[in-house]
Amino acid sequence: MKSKLLVSAILASAVATSASAVNVELFGHLGMVYNQEFGDYTHLNKDGVNYGGFTGHLGIDIGSSGVGFGVGGWGGSQIWATNDYAKHNVYGDKYIDLSDLYFRYNGTFDFYVGRFSNSFMKSDWLNSYAQGVGFSYNLGKSNIWVSWINDHTTYGVLPGRIASELTAYHRFPSSFNSFDIGKRDIIAGGANLDFGIFQVDPFVHYFLDSYAQSNVLQAGTRAALVLGGSGIKSITSGKFMWQNGWNGNTFFVQLEEELRFQDIFKLGGGWYMVGDNAGIKTISDNTRFYGRYMMPSHAGYFGAGSSTWYAFGGVEHERVKLDVLYAGGDYSEFSAVASVRVLDMKLGFMREGLGIDVGGGYVGNGFGNNIQFHNALAFAKLVF
């Protein structure tokens, strides 16, 4: 009898401990953007591509720091426009999607299965929302990752670019449809190895793409030399990718120098080129360009034979962010976008606390082009 009571007490204690360890965390955003076009671009014989749109993301994660599951939705729509350009090309007409439905384990390694953000893998080219499996083995500042991606979308997010989650919306192609296993899958692996002053990030991607009727194999690396400290830091980096696909072999190479001052101000420049045989297939990219959705007819910056140089500067602070860039060559852009956090509250049950960001800027295709694109934008968003 005593042993049964003891077992019951242990079980009750375990249940109580587990219950007290369960956390509920909300995450997401809600925001609006307005884009005023005042250049030479026309669509369907109508001047200008002026529109206002919104996107929203609401998710909930339930569990402990080690194990949990999550569910969430993402939506977006044009809410006003001078024509239907944004409805068809920027936000689409499929207004809502199941963005998060996952089980996770976090410890020595991170493991996710379902639909989830795969940013935890720190992949330079596959940073997106994925449907499939993601695994990352953690080695301090380094990690080794592998993934099977059955389907994917970025929802318009361009990594590192201010308010990009508001400027476009595209849901999973397989949503409310068949999974199409084997038709648009990606099998990939890589590593992010940090040795202090030297970093190297090798990767391999294999795209199964029956829709394009050509599978694509990519392999490459990023390497960086990091010198200095919190006062002045120099980051000299290079990227290389070899690709074999629909038009045979091609390549991508990029060189960049970035100077950071007090880990707040940044200044630098770079250059990249793409081989002549074919453009580079990407899901997402960690470039500094804003034109992909602001100038959607102009922003194919990884096309075959492209060669582009660029210079940039800006501010990265908890309260203020600023990106300024000028690019010339086969892809041209001048952009200046800023954001200010006007409210910043720390709330334990919200992943990012509760913040309000407001901002705006300009995105154009540089100067001296025969056809000029000029886009002024303003936005406001709630993040949590």
Side-chain angles (χ1 to χ4, degrees), residues 235-296:
I235 305 172
T236 305
S237 62
K239 295 181 182 181
F240 175 79
M241 178 194 292
W242 165 83
Q243 175 181 289
N244 177 268
W246 53 87
N247 271 2
N249 295 324
T250 191
F251 66 91
F252 167 85
V253 61
Q254 180 181 20
L255 301 173
E256 182 179 282
E257 171 64 26
E258 178 182 5
L259 296 174
R260 301 187 68 91
F261 306 93
Q262 303 296 327
D263 279 333
I264 297 176
F265 304 99
K266 59 186 177 182
L267 181 68
W271 166 85
Y272 73 85
M273 70 175 296
V274 179
D276 293 333
N277 288 342
I280 297 297
K281 184 179 181 68
T282 65
I283 292 180
S284 65
D285 66 82
N286 282 286
T287 68
R288 303 176 185 273
F289 306 127
Y290 277 81
R292 176 167 291 188
Y293 300 120
M294 293 292 98
M295 303 182 296

Side-chain angles (χ1 to χ4, degrees), residues 39-73:
D40 299 324
Y41 184 70
T42 61
H43 177 67
L44 298 178
N45 297 318
K46 297 179 180 179
D47 291 336
V49 183
N50 309 320
Y51 60 85
F54 87 93
T55 68
H57 179 209
L58 174 61
I60 183 170
D61 183 279
I62 301 173
S64 67
S65 59
V67 178
F69 66 93
V71 62

Side-chain angles (χ1 to χ4, degrees), residues 124 181 291 300 331:
D124 206 23
I181 292 177
Y331 174 75

Side-chain angles (χ1 to χ4, degrees), residues 128-200:
S128 65
Y129 269 76
Q131 177 175 282
V133 178
F135 173 89
S136 173
Y137 186 77
N138 301 312
L139 299 165
K141 293 182 179 180
S142 304
N143 71 301
I144 301 170
W145 59 271
V146 294
S147 185
W148 166 62
I149 301 173
N150 166 245
D151 198 6
H152 57 84
T153 183
T154 65
Y155 288 114
V157 176
L158 299 172
R161 265 123 320 165
I162 298 168
S164 64
E165 69 271 33
L166 306 179
T167 57
Y169 165 77
H170 302 285
R171 75 182 192 183
F172 279 92
S174 65
S175 287
F176 311 105
N177 203 338
S178 63
F179 288 108
D180 289 342
I181 292 177
K183 293 186 177 181
R184 60 167 66 89
D185 297 52
I186 304 168
I187 301 168
N192 301 284
L193 306 176
D194 189 335
F195 302 103
I197 67 170
F198 183 66
Q199 302 169 351
V200 59

